């Protein structure tokens, strides 16, 4: 699944190729990716012909094309979505779902939304150029210079929820997926089950700063090989080649203390952590069986 740095790379790539271009026509080749547009494929297509793309913006894992007259095309890549800028002569991708023919794009490219599993999608957001109302409830992400760190740590420390759950709460901080949460917690030396209300201000801010560092590192890697990534990142693997300390390393030695990394189930996914560097919180009772009751 594309995580925030990948989506930022996509945003930057779109910015480079399509800002200033005009959408001449749109082909919706499968209705599912525009299922959240209340006007359907016909309305989606009709709303966009002749519109100029003025900016490409992002919040968390959502991105949008800001159009003239203040509207926007809001997009999410879901599990397997790609936004490709292709030469019009390039053969159609097998899972091509929506094609935007453009006039005035860099290198004469056109824009293609490709999505095998179709959890992602696109919709027209009337008046959404600055911030689509559909995502106004989503918090800023750690890479956003206007992210309010103090509000974040206050909300974390007023909550009885586990810190990992809080990191994944998109109304508190957006764009931190399962991988980044585990990596940030490992770097911060915090166990994901620690309740927010038992963290110090420094611990709450520390894990946020570590999440930002992991994202910036991934972004820096993406920036160095942008062209290949733009074709591939959005592609099958979905992940940057990144050095992970915790995520996916069950049984491998911790990079700090050599204790084998442990994996536990977390919702329908997994959490990875070092049982020594990231001490589990003490239970309120010593006799209660250990289980995740949430
Ligand atoms: Zn360790």
């Amino acid at each position: 699944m594309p995580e925030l740095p990948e989506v930022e790379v996509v945003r930057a790539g779109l910015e480079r190729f399509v800002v200033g271009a005009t959408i001449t026509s749109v082909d919706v080749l499968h209705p599912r990716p525009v299922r959240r547009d209340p006007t359907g494929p016909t309305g989606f297509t009709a709303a966009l012909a002749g519109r100029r793309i003025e900016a490409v913006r992002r919040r968390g894992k959502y991105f949008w094309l800001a159009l003239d007259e203040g509207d926007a095309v809001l997009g999410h890549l879901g599990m397997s979505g790609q936004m490709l800028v292709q030469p019009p002569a390039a053969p159609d991708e097998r899972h091509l779902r929506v094609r935007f023919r453009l006039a005035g794009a860099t290198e004469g490219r056109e824009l293609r939304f490709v999505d095998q599993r179709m959890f992602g999608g696109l919709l027209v957001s009337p008046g959404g150029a600055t911030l689509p109302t559909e995502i106004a409830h989503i918090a800023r992400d750690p890479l956003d210079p206007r992210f309010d760190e103090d509000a974040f740590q206050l909300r974390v420390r007023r909550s009885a929820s586990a810190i990992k759950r809080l990191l994944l709460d998109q109304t508190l901080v957006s764009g931190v997926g399962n991988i980044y949460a585990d990596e940030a917690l490992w770097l911060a030396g915090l166990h994901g089950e620690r309740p927010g209300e038992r963290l110090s201000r420094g611990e709450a801010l520390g894990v946020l700063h570590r999440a930002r560092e992991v994202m910036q590192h991934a972004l820096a890697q993406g920036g160095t090989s942008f062209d290949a990534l733009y074709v591939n990142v959005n592609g099958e693997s979905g992940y940057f080649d990144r050095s992970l300390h915790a995520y996916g390393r069950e049984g491998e030695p911790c990079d700090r203390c050599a204790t084998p990394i442990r994996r536990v189930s977390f919702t329908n996914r997994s959490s990875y952590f070092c049982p020594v560097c990231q001490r589990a919180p003490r239970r309120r009772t010593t006799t209660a069986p250990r289980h995740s009751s949430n």
Side-chain angles (χ1 to χ4, degrees), residues 186 254-259 274 276-277:
W186 184 89
C254 170
D255 289 336
R256 245 181 333 234
C257 74
T259 305
C274 170
V276 171
C277 297

Side-chain angles (χ1 to χ4, degrees), residues 128-144:
T130 303
L131 176 64
T133 53
E134 294 84 356
I135 59 165
H137 62 287
I138 293 176
R140 293 179 187 277
D141 63 67
L143 298 178
D144 189 325

Side-chain angles (χ1 to χ4, degrees), residues 166-180:
L166 293 169
L167 286 171
L168 298 177
D169 179 348
Q170 302 289 301
T171 67
L172 193 59
V173 53
S174 67
V176 181
N178 201 38
I179 295 175
Y180 289 103

Side-chain angles (χ1 to χ4, degrees), residues 39-288:
T39 66
T42 312
F44 180 85
T45 302
L48 297 177
R51 310 301 295 277
R52 187 171 179 275
I53 301 169
E54 303 205 316
V56 187
R57 303 197 168 107
R58 182 186 59 73
R59 178 168 286 199
K61 292 200 241 175
Y62 287 87
F63 61 89
W64 64 97
L65 309 175
L67 305 175
D68 56 359
E69 299 176 30
D71 299 332
V73 181
L74 177 63
H76 194 284
L77 299 175
M79 302 285 288
S80 57
Q82 306 170 254
M83 278 299 263
L84 302 178
V85 283
Q86 293 281 47
D92 286 1
E93 291 73 15
R94 182 163 165 222
H95 302 291
L96 176 61
R97 307 304 186 191
V98 181
R99 182 204 318 274
F100 299 80
R101 295 187 201 276
L102 304 175
T106 300
E107 298 175 16
R109 302 282 182 112
E110 63 179 30
L111 189 54
R112 299 180 183 182
F113 182 73
V114 175
D115 194 353
Q116 179 181 359
R117 300 178 65 185
M118 294 196 285
F119 290 109
L122 302 169
L123 60 82
V124 175
S125 175
T130 303
L131 176 64
T133 53
E134 294 84 356
I135 59 165
H137 62 287
I138 293 176
R140 293 179 187 277
D141 63 67
L143 298 178
D144 189 325
R146 294 175 69 186
F147 185 87
D148 188 339
E149 294 195 354
D150 206 49
F152 171 83
Q153 66 89 12
L154 285 170
R155 281 187 62 192
V156 164
R157 295 173 60 220
R158 283 182 194 138
S159 173
S161 293
I163 181 61
K164 178 162 178 183
R165 196 169 293 276
L166 293 169
L167 286 171
L168 298 177
D169 179 348
Q170 302 289 301
T171 67
L172 193 59
V173 53
S174 67
V176 181
N178 201 38
I179 295 175
Y180 289 103
D182 280 3
E183 291 299 299
L185 289 164
W186 184 89
L187 287 166
L190 286 179
H191 193 286
E193 288 179 25
R194 288 270 300 275
E197 64 191 2
R198 289 198 229 163
L199 299 184
S200 68
R201 182 175 188 278
E203 286 173 326
L205 289 174
V207 72
L208 175 70
H209 294 163
R210 301 296 89 75
R212 178 181 296 140
E213 286 166 16
V214 179
M215 288 177 176
Q216 284 172 335
H217 183 66
L219 202 52
Q221 287 187 319
T224 58
S225 54
F226 176 80
D227 283 325
L229 280 168
Y230 201 46
V231 175
N232 295 323
V233 114
N234 304 284
E236 307 309 319
S237 81
Y239 292 118
F240 287 174
D241 177 21
R242 53 168 84 100
S243 46
L244 298 172
H245 294 291
Y247 186 85
R249 296 193 64 232
E250 183 181 18
E252 293 177 40
C254 170
D255 289 336
R256 245 181 333 234
C257 74
T259 305
I261 295 291
R262 199 169 285 173
R263 179 178 71 84
V264 294
S265 65
F266 173 81
T267 63
N268 55 354
R269 292 174 290 182
S270 295
S271 286
Y272 297 87
F273 64 98
C274 170
V276 171
C277 297
Q278 298 166 267
R279 288 282 168 80
R282 272 194 221 113
R283 300 282 145 168
R284 289 174 197 276
T285 59
T286 51
T287 51

Side-chain angles (χ1 to χ4, degrees), residues 4-14 219 222-223 226 229-230 240:
L4 185 145
E6 287 86 342
V7 180
E8 172 56 21
V9 167
V10 169
R11 189 207 64 77
L14 292 176
L219 202 52
F226 176 80
L229 280 168
Y230 201 46
F240 287 174

